[in-house]
Amino acid sequence: MSLLCGEIGRGVISPSFVPNDGRLIHGNELLAKIHADYKEHLTYRSSQHTVSRVAAALNNIKGLPIGWNAPAEVKDALGGFVGYLMLDALVSNQDRHHENWGLIESPKHGLRLAPTFDHASSLGRNERDNIRRERLESKDRGRGVEHYCGRARSGLYKFLKDKKALSTLVAFEEAAKKRPAAGQYWLIKLKSIRFYDFERIFSELPEEVASPFARRFALKMLDVNQKRLLNLLEVV
């Protein structure tokens, strides 16, 4: 799907990251093996999909994505997953349900964290330009982009009986508490990115993929979310 225009018909084709001798184990399959009562077929709004459960499932898995030279601060799959959640918070990805992360198992590489995938529900993709413009220009704090970013929900929960998923920011913060060194590493990497780096990327998109208002809106979201995340540097 088109990331920013919200139009039906556009798509992306990429090479498979699963080796020929391997298979992808989705998060729901992994969690169902650990928790007998886990409802693996309930994709959305599953409060069983908690940060603690995901962290426990990844806790003893040392394998990181195939071909990635991990820094010393990211020692295992959980540390890598913390980075995925920071990315979610940066782009306001609201689709990190239990089939949108996983592990790769293969005889050659063993058991490893899969690369992060499926970030289409991000950066206000489904909004129309009139709504984007309204939020960009609104003087009402309840209609502005900052408020919009704050409403972004992860596919992860804190407690089993919660009715509402964690915000993308809090999901990252909760996971980072379990791997503080990795959390700090990812935030410091984020701090090194300048706004013009985002602008340069968006300047390369043709207008039929991202309208001027789509670009402005997405860039504003990135600016807001980066600042919100970097406020955690003293906390994580």
Side-chain angles (χ1 to χ4, degrees):
M1 297 295 293
S2 170
L3 177 64
L4 296 174
C5 287
E7 298 173 354
I8 296 173
R10 291 190 178 275
V12 175
I13 298 175
S14 62
S16 174
F17 53 68
V18 181
N20 292 333
D21 67 343
R23 75 182 188 97
L24 175 63
I25 304 171
H26 288 103
N28 58 337
E29 180 184 348
L30 180 64
L31 292 170
K33 288 180 178 179
I34 299 170
H35 305 281
D37 63 340
Y38 195 84
K39 298 175 181 177
E40 61 179 308
H41 300 298
L42 183 63
T43 303
Y44 294 99
R45 298 178 182 174
S46 174
S47 62
Q48 291 184 308
H49 187 224
T50 66
V51 172
S52 294
R53 282 186 166 186
V54 174
L58 297 177
N59 189 52
N60 295 316
I61 297 172
K62 298 299 181 183
L64 287 156
I66 298 168
W68 182 48
N69 294 319
E73 295 87 347
V74 182
K75 301 180 184 299
D76 57 12
L78 180 53
F81 190 73
V82 168
Y84 296 177
L85 295 186
M86 188 189 75
L87 173 63
D88 290 345
L90 178 62
V91 300
S92 291
N93 175 33
Q94 302 190 70
D95 204 25
R96 185 68 70 179
H97 57 72
H98 59 197
E99 288 186 344
N100 273 348
W101 63 273
L103 303 174
I104 292 175
E105 182 180 50
S106 79
K108 180 179 179 180
H109 300 285
L111 193 62
R112 292 174 173 263
L113 180 68
T116 184
F117 57 90
D118 199 348
H119 316 105
S121 297
S122 305
L123 297 176
R125 175 184 74 94
N126 292 325
E127 301 296 347
R128 297 297 178 185
D129 273 353
N130 62 317
I131 301 299
R132 291 174 176 136
R133 180 175 183 174
E134 177 194 346
R135 289 189 178 278
L136 283 165
E137 298 177 356
S138 177
K139 303 300 182 182
D140 181 353
R141 294 184 64 181
R143 291 295 296 167
V145 179
E146 290 83 357
H147 180 75
Y148 184 87
C149 290
R151 289 171 49 205
R153 293 285 160 183
S154 169
L156 290 153
Y157 292 73
K158 186 168 185 178
F159 300 113
L160 293 174
K161 294 184 178 180
D162 284 350
K163 300 296 183 183
K164 185 181 290 188
L166 294 169
S167 71
T168 53
L169 186 70
V170 173
F172 164 72
E173 187 176 6
E174 289 295 314
K177 290 176 183 176
K178 301 178 185 300
R179 287 292 186 274
Q184 283 284 316
Y185 168 80
W186 291 117
L187 287 171
I188 290 169
K189 291 293 286 185
L190 178 63
K191 189 176 182 180
S192 69
I193 299 174
R194 299 293 179 254
F195 187 70
Y196 62 75
D197 295 318
F198 296 136
E199 288 183 309
R200 178 177 51 79
I201 293 169
F202 278 85
S203 69
E204 297 175 0
L205 295 176
E207 192 165 320
E208 61 267 23
V209 172
S211 70
F213 278 112
R215 296 182 199 201
R216 282 182 56 196
F217 193 76
L219 285 168
K220 181 64 176 178
M221 288 183 70
L222 289 168
D223 184 46
V224 168
N225 284 333
Q226 184 181 37
K227 289 173 180 175
R228 293 168 72 227
L229 280 161
L230 293 181
N231 285 336
L232 298 177
L233 266 172
E234 303 301 322
V235 178
V236 171

